Amino acid sequence: MRDNRGPTTGQLEFLFSRRSLFIGGVQAVIGAVVATRMAYISVAENEKYRLLSESNRVNLTLIPPRRGWFIDRIGKPIATNRADFRVDIIPDRLQNSKATLGTLTTLLDLKAEDVERIEKELKEAQGFQPVQVAAGLDYESFARVSVRLPDLPGVSPRQGFSRFYPSGAAVGHLLGYVGTVSAEEYQKDKDPLLITPGFKVGKQGLEKTMEMRLRGKPGAKRTEVTARGKIIRELSSRPDTPGKPVQLTIDIDLHNYAARRLGIESGSVVVIDCLTGDILALVSMPCFDPNSFSEGIGRLEWKMLNSDERIPMLNKSLQGLYPPGSTLKPMAALAMLDHGIDPDEKVMCGGGYRLGNRVFKCLGRHGPMDMRSAIMKSCNTYFYAMGNRIGYDAIAPTAKLLGLGQEFPLPFQSQRYGTIPDSAWKMRKYGDAWTRSDTLNATIGQGYVITSPFQLAVMAARIASGHMLEPEILMKKRNSAPKHLPFPDDHLQVVRDGMDLVVNGAGTAVRSRLELPDVTMGGKTGTAQVRAIKGGQRGQGGARRFRDHGLFVCFAPVAQPRYAAAVVIEHGMGGARAAAPVAKDVLTFLYDREKAMASLEALEAGWGGGIEERMARQYAAFQAGQGVPATERSEM
């Protein structure tokens, strides 16, 4: 029979006491753990959580430093900074990119091209990398975004400074430009300054190579904010330390004039001080406007620059390579004198020089020519004969001594040093022996010979001064005077006399004689072929890319040379026609600015205005060709 009686009162009390004891023990252990953890947090980790709390309440912001200025030889500004209102997006703080970008488009009246660029950069950007929305804003636009910040997470409006180049495109190749730090650049040292919105670094030219001197040190600002990031008040700030200025040897007025004087041509002007080797002008046109890069260059403008056949992104002064043509004849004459050629010995020019079964043509029938008159008339026949006599292996060392085919220790990212060939070079390059035909071509600056405009200017300066001038772009005190070239003064004078006759005698550049009292210019014209001559073809017409280049090297005054220059006009069809007139006006500017400016203004009226006006028209035409509506073009 089953016993249905339940537990007794004693049994229940025993069970309850045991369970109560177990539960109480568990609670005591949990309480001890919690108390221990709380004690650890409040004592051992007090500093950590205090800082976290403070970081939620206080926002610490780096202030990008103002970039150091570039100034010219007398202290005139070449690159400065100006106040700038800008708006950026920080990708890793962005919550709804589509809605945020739509709001910004309305607030800032962004163009379709800008929106497309921002969307593309947001997809490609790393989380830390700011994406520029707009720069150079007026205060009203900046304020419209600032008051909407609580509704725009990830948007960062900033007031700071942006790079400004008063001369615009005239200094693009000289200074380069600045831009936002790339992910690869940040990964090198992970400096927080590099990802601060509004901070930019040098990307090309002197802006890049002088980066650490120009950068400066950032400031900082502490502000109290709400949980949604709204600023309550500024707590403290530390000012930035601006970068150090960089003084160049450039005469910015001369440089700007030379850039304008090149006008609608594509080419280069280099001017060097014959007393010191200072580079006074280093111009390459056409060029990009570095201010466009400071503000964030648009897709269409970038496409236009890269599709231009005149290659505006190439620094033609240092990286352009051209056959120097007859501008090398003064150098060749100096080498011939050094190897025993009598400057008064005459060579009969009947229109060419026969070598075996081939006749190498001259530009005319000059009759009897000595060295001075051969330079004056640019007689190929004379230089063929004398070059063949001594051989090009005797000429090449002089070319290198005068700076041709050389790279100079200048603070630029790259130079192209061209080629001054000789028999050993040809054997290494092609595995072939040097021929007499090679000598004849090289002696008149054709064949394998290629040089840069900068090297031609150095050559002219060394011939004019008689010294081994070392070109400089950074202003500094020189510890010693330049050494004299290893040539007798009378040899140098013969060459200078010939160059004097080119301009002031019956030479090839008489139309470019300086119209100045007591100041004369010596020089040498050059016409460089860009393709082989066939039949009566002379490279003086047809498609632009097949036309000859025009070159001119010069110095002034003839009696006591102070300035030397080289001018190269791509496809200018002749040195006398295209390059010498530019050199004439540039050297005139050094002695009579009013006269030079009057000449320039008359020319610019025929060209359709100055550099900025012509570039604006070119961009508008390119936009039209790309189908951009006229209303959008007029608003830009």
Side-chain angles (χ1 to χ4, degrees):
M1 185 175 180
R2 172 185 281 181
D3 186 359
N4 292 324
R5 290 178 300 173
T8 64
T9 301
Q11 289 174 327
L12 290 172
E13 289 179 353
F14 175 76
L15 290 172
F16 178 79
S17 298
R18 187 172 65 178
R19 290 174 181 174
S20 297
L21 183 62
F22 174 76
I23 292 172
V26 171
Q27 289 176 334
V29 171
I30 293 173
V33 170
V34 171
T36 302
R37 178 60 180 167
M38 291 177 64
Y40 177 78
I41 291 173
S42 61
V43 178
E45 294 193 325
N46 176 270
E47 185 68 15
K48 171 185 174 182
Y49 287 98
R50 187 181 70 81
L51 291 175
L52 286 173
S53 175
E54 183 72 4
S55 68
N56 287 331
R57 184 182 71 88
V58 177
N59 185 17
L60 180 63
T61 305
L62 286 178
I63 301 174
R66 286 160 289 177
R67 200 165 177 82
W69 287 20
F70 280 107
I71 57 177
D72 84 341
R73 62 189 301 104
I74 62 172
K76 288 187 176 183
I78 307 178
T80 64
N81 306 302
R82 61 181 177 185
D84 177 43
F85 292 107
R86 59 180 294 113
V87 174
D88 297 285
I89 291 177
I90 312 301
D92 63 355
R93 299 178 187 172
L94 194 60
Q95 294 181 3
N96 188 331
S97 62
K98 187 175 182 180
T100 300
L101 195 52
T103 302
L104 290 174
T105 300
T106 302
L107 294 175
L108 299 177
D109 193 23
L110 298 177
K111 303 289 186 298
E113 177 187 351
D114 297 324
V115 175
E116 183 181 344
R117 173 189 60 81
I118 295 167
E119 289 175 340
K120 179 181 178 182
E121 291 182 5
L122 283 173
K123 291 178 181 178
E124 297 175 351
Q126 303 290 335
F128 56 76
Q129 189 177 4
V131 171
Q132 177 178 300
V133 175
L137 297 172
D138 55 36
Y139 181 75
E140 288 74 16
S141 300
F142 177 78
R144 284 198 298 270
V145 175
S146 297
V147 298
R148 294 287 301 274
L149 275 185
D151 303 321
L152 298 170
V155 175
S156 174
R158 298 292 176 108
Q159 180 179 358
F161 294 88
S162 63
R163 201 57 156 169
F164 177 62
Y165 305 88
S167 301
V171 298
H173 289 307
L174 173 67
L175 300 184
Y177 59 87
V178 297
T180 305
V181 175
S182 66
E184 293 76 15
E185 289 170 322
Y186 174 74
Q187 292 297 336
K188 290 180 180 179
D189 56 15
K190 296 190 176 181
D191 183 345
L193 173 63
L194 300 181
I195 58 173
T196 302
F199 179 73
K200 294 187 177 181
V201 297
K203 293 288 188 175
Q204 193 182 79
L206 293 175
E207 288 279 21
K208 181 176 179 66
T209 58
M210 304 302 294
E211 171 65 28
M212 298 315 297
R213 179 179 178 85
L214 295 166
R215 180 176 293 185
K217 296 181 179 179
K221 180 173 65 175
R222 295 174 68 245
T223 53
E224 186 175 0
V225 296
T226 65
R228 297 188 67 184
K230 185 177 181 180
I231 297 176
I232 299 174
R233 58 176 174 149
E234 184 176 315
L235 300 176
S236 63
S237 64
R238 183 189 70 203
D240 64 298
T241 302
K244 296 179 181 179
V246 175
Q247 186 171 21
L248 306 181
T249 61
I250 294 293
D251 177 340
I252 191 58
D253 292 335
L254 173 69
H255 181 97
N256 289 342
Y257 180 87
R260 291 174 61 185
R261 181 57 186 82
L262 280 171
I264 58 177
E265 301 288 0
S266 175
S268 167
V269 178
V270 182
V271 183
I272 294 177
D273 189 326
C274 290
L275 301 183
T276 62
D278 287 351
I279 302 168
L280 303 180
L282 189 68
V283 178
S284 170
M285 296 297 287
C287 184
F288 56 87
D289 185 348
N291 290 309
S292 295
F293 287 86
S294 295
E295 298 169 359
I297 191 166
R299 176 184 58 82
L300 273 179
E301 187 175 356
W302 177 250
K303 184 178 180 180
M304 179 188 73
L305 291 172
N306 282 282
S307 61
D308 192 332
E309 66 172 354
R310 299 176 301 166
I311 319 180
M313 297 301 295
L314 177 71
N315 184 342
K316 297 175 178 64
S317 294
L318 294 172
Q319 296 174 310
L321 294 177
Y322 311 90
S326 294
T327 59
L328 254 61
K329 287 174 180 174
M331 175 280 298
L334 193 59
M336 291 167 185
L337 290 167
D338 194 46
H339 285 79
I341 299 296
D342 182 350
D344 296 321
E345 180 183 348
K346 288 182 170 55
V347 171
M348 178 58 66
C349 174
Y353 180 80
R354 180 173 291 278
L355 180 67
N357 295 325
R358 181 179 174 187
V359 175
F360 288 77
K361 293 184 177 181
C362 191
L363 300 176
R365 295 175 179 270
H366 298 117
M369 290 276 110
D370 62 14
M371 185 172 287
R372 293 177 180 85
S373 62
I375 294 174
M376 175 180 70
K377 291 293 187 181
S378 199
C379 178
N380 288 348
T381 301
Y382 177 90
F383 285 93
Y384 288 148
M386 295 304 185
N388 191 37
R389 183 185 298 182
I390 68 171
Y392 199 75
D393 280 355
I395 297 175
T398 299
K400 295 174 181 177
L401 191 64
L402 294 181
L404 302 175
Q406 304 300 298
E407 188 171 11
F408 299 93
L410 298 174
F412 291 95
Q413 290 171 269
S414 64
Q415 299 173 52
R416 297 177 69 189
Y417 45 84
T419 301
I420 295 298
D422 55 22
S423 57
W425 172 88
K426 188 179 181 184
M427 184 58 68
R428 289 195 309 271
K429 181 77 173 177
Y430 298 106
D432 290 335
W434 187 267
T435 68
R436 290 178 178 269
S437 295
D438 294 331
T439 293
L440 269 56
N441 285 323
T443 301
I444 63 165
Q446 294 283 175
Y448 297 115
V449 183
I450 51 173
T451 61
S452 71
F454 182 74
Q455 293 171 353
L456 293 175
V458 173
M459 178 194 73
R462 289 183 178 179
I463 289 174
S465 67
H467 291 91
M468 283 288 295
L469 295 175
E470 291 298 332
E472 293 285 356
I473 192 71
L474 300 179
M475 200 73 179
K476 63 182 180 181
K477 185 177 180 181
R478 290 170 176 76
N479 298 322
S480 59
K483 297 179 181 178
H484 197 282
L485 287 169
F487 304 112
D489 287 337
D490 60 335
H491 287 185
L492 290 162
Q493 193 57 49
V494 168
V495 175
R496 294 186 199 123
D497 289 345
M499 296 177 73
D500 180 17
L501 292 172
V502 169
V503 182
N504 306 298
T508 54
V510 293
R511 293 183 179 179
S512 295
R513 188 175 300 168
L514 296 185
E515 298 171 358
L516 297 170
D518 305 321
V519 180
T520 55
M521 171 178 71
K524 184 68 194 78
T525 57
T527 300
Q529 301 164 14
V530 298
R531 63 173 179 174
I533 294 175
K534 296 180 180 178
Q537 237 172 38
R538 288 285 312 147
Q540 301 296 297
R544 177 183 178 274
R545 67 181 185 275
F546 296 134
R547 298 174 190 167
D548 295 339
H549 299 312
L551 305 94
F552 188 67
V553 296
C554 59
F555 62 88
V558 169
Q560 290 184 310
R562 175 62 195 277
Y563 305 108
V567 178
V568 175
I569 305 297
E570 291 184 336
H571 311 293
M573 297 186 292
R577 175 191 298 187
V582 174
K584 171 190 173 182
D585 285 348
V586 169
L587 290 185
T588 298
F589 182 85
L590 288 164
Y591 294 98
D592 190 334
R593 294 195 174 191
E594 289 186 9
K595 182 186 286 290
M597 287 304 300
S599 174
L600 175 61
E601 288 167 2
L603 289 168
E604 286 186 330
W607 294 333
I611 296 172
E612 289 186 4
E613 295 173 80
R614 298 196 306 272
M615 289 181 69
R617 282 200 305 274
Q618 179 190 6
Y619 185 41
F622 185 81
Q623 287 178 306
Q626 298 294 309
V628 177
T631 52
E632 288 192 22
R633 296 200 300 273
S634 64
E635 292 172 359
M636 298 187 70

